[in-house]
């Protein structure tokens, strides 16, 4: 997991599989990183092959937290198999799920 910052947007790039055991690291990274003052987060899942339900739950809880701080999380997924858990759980209605990092940056520039 790699966190970079471009302007006021934080990009969290994850690769491989996100299993339940990896969810703790995701939670810790989101909790320990300073996203102030207004958290704008892009979660880049373009190199992820699997995401567990625990990790999805963690993303939902941080979306609520960041929304209350005038921020947001945008998910980047370009693999139909990885998009499926978001669609099945209707999280594609909760998150903006976009196919590229550039689309996510454009979305933040448009003011969400």
């Amino acid at each position: 997991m790699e966190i970079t910052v471009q302007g006021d947007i934080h990009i969290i790039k994850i690769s491989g599989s996100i299993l339940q055991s990896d969810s703790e690291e995701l939670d810790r990274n989101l909790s320990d990183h300073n996203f102030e003052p207004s958290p704008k987060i892009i979660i880049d899942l373009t190199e992820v092959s699997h995401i567990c339900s625990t990790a999805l739950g963690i993303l939902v809880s941080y979306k609520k937290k960041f929304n209350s701080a005038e921020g947001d999380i945008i998910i980047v997924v370009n693999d139909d198999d990885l998009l499926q858990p978001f669609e099945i759980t209707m999280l594609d209605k909760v998150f903006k799920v976009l196919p590229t990092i550039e689309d996510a940056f454009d979305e933040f520039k448009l003011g969400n």
Side-chain angles (χ1 to χ4, degrees), residues 30-92:
L30 288 169
S31 132
D32 291 348
H33 194 76
N34 180 11
F35 295 108
E36 299 298 328
S38 171
K40 294 179 182 175
I41 316 297
I42 296 172
I43 306 284
D44 180 357
L45 301 179
T46 57
E47 294 182 11
V48 170
S49 57
H50 172 79
I51 187 166
C52 72
S53 60
T54 303
L56 291 173
I58 288 168
L59 292 176
V60 169
S61 74
Y62 278 96
K63 172 144 177 88
K64 290 178 185 177
K65 178 180 176 181
F66 293 156
N67 280 353
S68 68
E70 305 295 319
D72 201 2
I73 295 177
I74 296 177
I75 307 289
V76 177
V77 174
N78 60 6
D79 179 321
D80 288 339
D81 290 336
L82 191 62
L83 184 59
Q84 193 172 27
F86 286 91
E87 293 173 340
I88 289 170
T89 58
M90 298 189 73
L91 289 177
D92 61 330

